[in-house]
Amino acid sequence: MLKNNSIKPVSHKKQKIVSSISTHTILIIGAIAFMFPLVWMLSTALKPLAETTKIPPTIMPSKFMWSNYKEATTAIPFWKYAKNTLIVCVLTVIGTLVSSTLVAYGFARIQWKGRDVLFYCVLATMMIPFPVIMAPLFVVFGKLGWIGSLKPLWIPSFGAAAFNIFLMRQFFRTIPTELTEAAKIDGCSELGILIRVILPLSKPILLVVALFQFIASWNDFLGPLVYLTREDTYTLALGLQFFQSQHGGTYWNYLMAASSLIVLPIIIIYFFAQKAFIEGISLTGLKG
């Protein structure tokens, strides 16, 4: 009996160590696989042009060409494109937060006939891909005189998107109803409850939705490609494609330098907001 009792803890400890090593090995391999494209982009951005297509390829540049970043930002009106992109992102985030919050609150905290049926209809719109509605939207925006401007890229965000409504609704439902009932007893209206009670408790999900929308708008290529017709209104994603096609052959070092500058804001934002971002994701969906 004493022999058996002394073996079990050792076996369990070994099993735990093996499991930990296996988990960390898989995570390290996955991290390297996901980080490799980013490392390759930064490496190419610092190489002379001749080295970008060298066979066999090398990761470490023979000479660090920091001037590639200056050339990349002067070869195209980079800061003009960045300004357009930032305008679209900020206005889109504002529109998304305002519209999605109002709609999600109505689905989560207000009782009305047909609420759940309409909510499922809203969810069903997530199955419709953008290319399906692209042509009708182009006709509508053309009649409104918006084609060639930034308006088609940010005004529709004030109509709320199904995915953001779903995330916010799920989070709002996790907030205790006693808080809103107490506010009603004090004579607070539904809008007052939303602003004074719900929103102060919903910072994580607001940040998640804002970050999702910012990244989607920052990386959006199809929308600007369809609606923007003048070069002075191009966003960064479209301007980068314009730079590639304008020069016939591809200057990979300049292209990767510009691409790394475009990716940088997203990485910085996620770095500072990752705690609230993960918290918002983990809390969403606790209550169905």
Side-chain angles (χ1 to χ4, degrees):
M1 289 299 291
L2 289 174
K3 188 177 180 180
N4 290 337
N5 289 336
S6 63
I7 289 174
K8 281 183 180 178
V10 174
S11 176
H12 179 70
K13 188 176 180 181
K14 282 184 178 179
Q15 189 179 6
K16 194 174 179 181
I17 292 173
V18 171
S19 175
S20 177
I21 292 174
S22 304
T23 303
H24 281 82
T25 302
I26 293 171
L27 290 176
I28 290 171
I29 293 173
I32 292 173
F34 279 100
M35 285 293 293
F36 184 75
L38 182 63
V39 173
W40 187 258
M41 179 181 69
L42 296 175
S43 168
T44 306
L46 294 173
K47 288 178 180 175
L49 179 61
E51 280 188 35
T52 58
T53 55
K54 184 180 176 182
I55 302 295
T58 56
I59 291 183
M60 189 63 70
S62 61
K63 181 183 178 183
F64 286 86
M65 301 288 292
W66 296 102
S67 60
N68 287 344
Y69 284 93
K70 183 179 179 181
E71 296 293 338
T73 54
T74 55
I76 59 173
F78 182 88
W79 301 115
K80 176 69 176 175
Y81 296 161
K83 179 184 174 184
N84 293 335
T85 308
L86 197 59
I87 290 172
V88 171
C89 289
V90 171
L91 292 175
T92 305
V93 168
I94 293 173
T96 299
L97 289 179
V98 172
S99 57
S100 300
T101 299
L102 292 172
V103 177
Y105 180 76
F107 281 128
R109 309 304 291 245
I110 301 176
Q111 293 291 340
W112 46 280
K113 190 177 180 181
R115 184 188 67 171
D116 293 338
V117 174
L118 186 59
F119 175 68
Y120 293 131
C121 291
V122 171
L123 288 186
T125 61
M126 286 197 294
M127 305 299 173
I128 304 174
F130 177 70
V132 173
I133 59 174
M134 187 170 63
L137 283 178
F138 186 86
V139 174
V140 172
F141 293 150
K143 290 184 180 298
L144 293 172
W146 292 355
I147 300 300
S149 70
L150 297 177
K151 291 179 182 177
L153 301 179
W154 64 268
I155 288 182
S157 66
F158 284 83
F163 180 65
N164 296 327
I165 293 171
F166 171 74
L167 286 180
M168 286 189 168
R169 174 186 176 270
Q170 297 301 97
F171 190 92
F172 290 166
R173 287 167 65 90
T174 65
I175 298 173
T177 55
E178 290 80 4
L179 294 175
T180 56
E181 289 172 357
K184 286 180 182 177
I185 293 172
D186 291 339
C188 201
S189 65
E190 292 292 351
L191 186 60
I193 293 172
L194 173 62
I195 295 173
R196 297 175 186 175
V197 179
I198 300 297
L199 290 185
L201 298 172
S202 305
K203 290 177 183 174
I205 193 60
L206 293 175
L207 187 60
V208 168
V209 171
L211 191 58
F212 274 152
Q213 188 58 53
F214 188 90
I215 293 173
S217 299
W218 188 268
N219 294 329
D220 185 24
F221 174 74
L222 188 56
L225 179 66
V226 172
Y227 301 127
L228 300 183
T229 55
R230 301 196 318 270
E231 190 182 344
D232 62 322
T233 60
Y234 283 1
T235 58
L236 280 172
L238 188 59
L240 209 60
Q241 175 63 29
F242 177 71
F243 168 77
Q244 187 177 359
S245 59
Q246 188 182 32
H247 291 80
T250 303
Y251 290 76
W252 290 108
N253 49 351
Y254 297 161
L255 191 65
M256 291 300 108
S259 298
S260 59
L261 290 176
I262 293 174
V263 170
L264 189 61
I266 301 296
I267 295 175
I268 292 174
I269 290 173
Y270 181 77
F271 179 79
F272 285 105
Q274 60 176 323
K275 184 178 178 182
F277 180 76
I278 294 171
E279 183 183 358
I281 288 290
S282 61
L283 291 177
T284 302
L286 287 179
K287 189 174 182 180

